[in-house]
Amino acid sequence: MAGSKAASRRADAQAAATTGEARKEEDRYVECRVVLDVLDRIGDKWTVMVVGALSEGPVRFNAMMRLIEGVSHRMLTLTLRGLERDGLVKRTAYPTIPPKVEYELTVLGHSLIEPLRSLSRWAMQNRAVIEQARQEFDAGSGREGP
Amino acid sequence: MAGSKAASRRADAQAAATTGEARKEEDRYVECRVVLDVLDRIGDKWTVMVVGALSEGPVRFNAMMRLIEGVSHRMLTLTLRGLERDGLVKRTAYPTIPPKVEYELTVLGHSLIEPLRSLSRWAMQNRAVIEQARQEFDAGSGREGP
DNA sequence: CTGTATCCTCCACGATACTG
DNA sequence: CAGTATCGTGGAGGATACAG
């Protein structure tokens, strides 16, 4: 059957752009790409912590440094740059001495919190089940015969 | 204010376990850990694709290999192991010749799709805004004076 | 205080080959 | 067909030093 291979999806969809089938294929393809794109950003450990830290208001650079505990100077900078680039975080520099820079979530940034909470809820609800599954798996792997 | 540093949260919460303040602190700490734990699993590129591939029914190993396009033999195995270990995927081996192994989402695995869709929706709704933000950022960085 | 650049380490992942 | 083991490498991320 044509179109079963991901590599050919775009071509297939283009060749038969009017078909409902092809549109569905193409939609799934695009959706996957987009989700992956988002996950590349927010699936990152530090990004989650930064968003969490900013969720209740503006925070200064050094404050976050202390708040997040374990993040390196470099990674915090990079993470904030990434978020700023994507329009999720607003950076405000006050030209004082010493310099003072505040970071805060944009409207877009805040809107991300909701779906993130969705994941959070799932995680909290199922952490016990998962933990148990892990233990059973680790116990069962290696001795299933005599 | 005591407890502002993440490193001391556990100790603080323990020391004043009955305080509402401390409980809130501790809750946030645990929630963060748990979300990070989940993200370590599902934030991964291949994991998302695997869950997607399995979302509509059981699939055999080689079928996924072809379905996912780009995943290596090794990574697919590792990803599936991880998901199986966490109880998100069920592995069924038929002792035929040649061997036939089917993977499918467990109930727990299916329940993950919902929050994943939540993210997906967000991503689809805001991809244009994000893309524009990126272009503006990339354009603005480097020439903001003359 | 905030930001950038440099070096260096380590491990995640792909390629490959072998077994059941 | 499915799974495991081994090796080689690119790049992510920490440490550090310096600049504005």
Side-chain angles (χ1 to χ4, degrees), chain A residues 127-144:
Chain A
R127 65 175 164 156
V129 185
I130 292 178
E131 189 49 40
Q132 193 190 337
R134 281 180 188 172
Q135 284 173 10
E136 280 172 17
F137 185 88
D138 291 345
S141 281
R143 49 100 168 150
E144 49 190 68

Side-chain angles (χ1 to χ4, degrees), chain A residues 97-143:
Chain A
I97 293 182
K100 169 181 168 179
V101 180
E102 272 190 350
Y103 290 93
E104 61 187 318
L105 291 181
T106 61
V107 175
L108 182 60
H110 264 108
S111 75
L112 176 59
I113 290 184
E114 184 49 30
L116 227 46
R117 278 234 181 291
S118 183
L119 255 183
S120 175
R121 243 178 290 122
W122 185 88
M124 290 299 280
Q125 281 168 2
N126 297 104
R127 65 175 164 156
V129 185
I130 292 178
E131 189 49 40
Q132 193 190 337
R134 281 180 188 172
Q135 284 173 10
E136 280 172 17
F137 185 88
D138 291 345
S141 281
R143 49 100 168 150

Side-chain angles (χ1 to χ4, degrees), chain B residues 40-61:
Chain B
D40 261 1
R41 171 85 32 227
I42 66 100
D44 171 49
K45 175 183 180 182
W46 298 128
T47 299
V48 176
M49 309 223 54
V50 166
V51 171
L54 292 177
S55 66
E56 299 187 3
V59 183
R60 292 183 53 175
F61 187 89

Side-chain angles (χ1 to χ4, degrees), chain B residues 4-16:
Chain B
S4 63
K5 245 186 135 174
S8 56
R9 277 181 189 165
R10 265 184 301 196
D12 285 344
Q14 240 173 0

Side-chain angles (χ1 to χ4, degrees), chain A residues 23-102:
Chain A
R23 268 214 66 75
K24 246 177 103 175
E25 273 285 312
E26 178 69 359
D27 284 353
R28 292 173 66 81
Y29 179 75
V30 170
E31 188 175 0
C32 197
R33 292 280 311 267
V34 173
V35 176
L36 252 38
D37 192 52
V38 173
L39 247 53
D40 261 3
R41 172 85 29 229
I42 67 97
D44 170 50
K45 174 183 179 182
W46 299 128
T47 299
V48 177
M49 309 223 55
V50 166
V51 172
L54 292 176
S55 66
E56 300 188 2
V59 183
R60 293 184 52 176
F61 187 89
N62 259 15
M64 292 195 73
M65 200 78 179
R66 271 174 272 110
L67 214 59
I68 290 187
E69 177 80 13
V71 69
S72 68
H73 192 155
R74 185 174 169 273
M75 284 317 292
L76 184 54
T77 306
L78 288 181
T79 302
L80 286 168
R81 282 291 164 280
L83 287 170
E84 189 190 356
R85 188 174 108 98
D86 285 2
L88 297 172
V89 159
K90 169 84 177 301
R91 175 180 179 277
T92 314
Y94 301 92
T96 60
I97 293 182
K100 169 181 168 179
V101 180
E102 272 190 350

Side-chain angles (χ1 to χ4, degrees), chain A residues 8-22:
Chain A
S8 57
R9 277 181 187 164
R10 265 183 301 195
D12 286 343
Q14 239 171 0
T18 48
T19 320
E21 274 305 304

